[in-house]
């Protein structure tokens, strides 16, 4: 399998991704640890993920299978929703809407699973906490942290840290990385896939909802000509009632902040990060309300 030429290959010092054709049909998404990641990748909570019948309209929870130092996911597509969202064609927009609705139904089912015991913090939040606390970090991440102290100040930083603590105060199984990069629409036929495994954790359902909405609000900020309020509203409507919209908004901010610091930590410095610091300062002040369509939860 690994001798096949990848359809796509990309990554950072955190994780490498290779997409290969599956001899049985579809594609194999192979996640491998980057130079600064723990080795090998594991998914200890994967057996808890429920199987969802295609008739439910839910996305396939493409649960990881160990392979080498990494994890394999099977999907019917070779590009994530992150790529499709940059496609201006109307059919791409419809596919994005369908994929987000399917993902919401899958997340609802995942969140019904209760996991007693102490909190299990998603890796993304652990990395954010390490960055906030100033643990041993690459120079680019330390540089970003220094600028964040100037732009955010202590109050905003403390608020962000408290929201991260609150996000894991629950006993629900959570995906931990419900994002447009983990959501894979089918190339032609087949189910939408939500790549699931290495980030599974325990916490509040709002964490996953905010994580996805954080991706979408960040894209709306980066590409204002291609707003996605309708996509966010459809995602929340498909999930259904129950989540606290304040907590969802705060978790959306956590997602954007995590993406920002991950870029600096595992990708290196870019002057674009100055813009991200200003953007995240605004998000912290408004508690992420712009990420949650008004009147929805």
């Amino acid at each position: 399998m690994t001798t096949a030429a990848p359809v796509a290959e990309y990554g950072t010092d955190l994780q490498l991704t290779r997409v290969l054709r599956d001899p049985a049909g579809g594609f194999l998404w192979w996640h491998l640890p980057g130079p600064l990641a723990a080795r090998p990748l594991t998914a200890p909570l994967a057996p808890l993920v429920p199987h969802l019948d295609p008739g439910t309209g839910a996305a396939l929870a493409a649960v990881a299978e160990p392979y080498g130092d990494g994890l394999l996911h099977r999907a019917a597509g070779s590009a994530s929703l992150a790529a499709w969202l940059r496609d201006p064609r109307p059919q791409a927009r419809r596919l994005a809407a369908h994929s987000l609705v399917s993902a919401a139904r899958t997340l609802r089912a995942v969140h019904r699973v209760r996991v007693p015991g102490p909190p299990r913090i998603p890796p993304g939040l652990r990395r954010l906490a390490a960055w906030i606390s100033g643990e041993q970090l690459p120079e680019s991440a330390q540089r970003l942290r220094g600028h964040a102290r100037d732009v955010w100040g202590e109050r905003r930083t403390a608020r962000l840290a408290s929201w991260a603590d609150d996000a894991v105060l629950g006993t629900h199984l959570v995906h931990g990385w419900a994002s447009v990069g983990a959501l894979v629409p089918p190339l032609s036929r087949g189910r939408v896939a939500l790549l699931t495994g290495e980030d599974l954790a325990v916490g509040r359902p709002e964490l996953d909802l905010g994580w996805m909405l954080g991706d979408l609000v960040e894209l709306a900020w980066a590409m204002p000509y291609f707003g996605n309020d309708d996509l966010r509203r459809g995602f929340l409507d498909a999930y259904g009632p129950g989540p606290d919209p304040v907590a969802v908004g705060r978790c959306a901010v956590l997602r954007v902040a995590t993406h920002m610091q991950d870029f600096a930590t595992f990708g290196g410095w870019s002057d674009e990060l100055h813009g991200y610091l200003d953007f995240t300062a605004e998000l912290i002040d408004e508690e992420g309300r712009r990420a949650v369509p008004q009147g929805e939860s």
Side-chain angles (χ1 to χ4, degrees):
M1 183 277 296
T2 56
T3 59
V7 175
E9 188 168 15
Y10 52 88
T12 66
D13 283 347
L14 175 63
Q15 181 174 281
L16 307 175
T17 298
R18 292 176 183 161
V19 183
L20 307 103
R21 291 195 180 276
D22 186 350
F27 299 89
L28 298 168
W29 287 66
W30 191 17
H31 289 164
L32 293 155
L36 297 182
R39 306 176 74 96
L41 297 182
T42 60
L45 296 182
L48 299 180
V49 177
H51 172 75
L52 301 174
D53 189 273
T56 64
L60 170 69
V63 178
E65 306 169 18
Y67 191 90
D69 281 349
L71 295 169
L72 279 181
H73 305 266
R74 301 177 187 275
S78 59
S80 72
L81 186 61
W84 283 102
L85 283 169
R86 289 172 170 80
D87 188 328
R89 293 175 298 172
Q91 56 265 45
R93 187 76 169 202
R94 290 193 294 271
L95 182 61
H98 168 69
S99 299
L100 287 163
V101 166
S102 298
R105 292 170 177 161
T106 299
L107 291 173
R108 186 90 190 189
V110 168
H111 296 160
R112 292 193 187 104
V113 177
R114 295 299 186 102
V115 187
R120 304 188 189 195
I121 301 172
L125 285 186
R126 289 202 303 268
R127 295 194 300 273
L128 180 64
W131 177 76
I132 290 174
S133 66
E135 293 182 16
Q136 292 181 327
L137 298 169
E139 187 277 333
S140 55
Q142 289 286 11
R143 180 178 176 182
L144 178 67
R145 188 171 177 273
H147 288 304
R149 284 198 299 267
D150 296 335
V151 175
W152 290 358
E154 293 184 4
R155 184 182 64 85
R156 290 191 182 101
T157 305
R159 293 184 81 189
L160 195 69
S162 71
W163 296 346
D165 290 340
D166 182 69
V168 295
L169 293 179
T171 59
H172 300 265
L173 182 67
V174 294
H175 182 280
W177 199 262
S179 63
V180 297
L183 192 56
V184 182
L187 187 60
S188 54
R189 285 185 274 178
R191 293 175 71 181
V192 176
L194 181 61
L195 309 185
T196 303
E198 56 262 49
D199 295 285
L200 284 163
V202 180
R204 298 183 60 168
E206 289 88 351
L207 174 63
D208 284 340
L209 301 181
W211 215 257
M212 188 72 80
L213 294 180
D215 265 6
L216 293 171
V217 82
E218 180 183 332
L219 285 169
W221 168 71
M223 301 185 299
Y225 54 87
F226 191 57
N228 54 47
D229 281 3
D230 58 325
L231 299 180
R232 282 180 271 145
R233 186 171 291 107
F235 172 71
L236 288 178
D237 285 349
Y239 185 88
D244 175 3
V246 174
V248 172
R250 291 173 174 176
C251 288
V253 184
L254 293 173
R255 166 57 182 152
V256 179
T258 298
H259 186 204
M260 177 186 69
Q261 75 80 24
D262 273 351
F263 184 95
T265 301
F266 302 107
W269 178 260
S270 168
D271 286 342
E272 292 181 3
L273 292 168
H274 289 297
Y276 266 89
L277 286 171
D278 293 334
F279 177 50
T280 49
E282 294 174 5
L283 289 178
I284 294 170
D285 288 345
E286 67 181 36
E287 299 185 73
R289 283 190 293 272
R290 77 176 70 177
V292 185
Q294 188 174 7
E296 304 294 337
S297 63

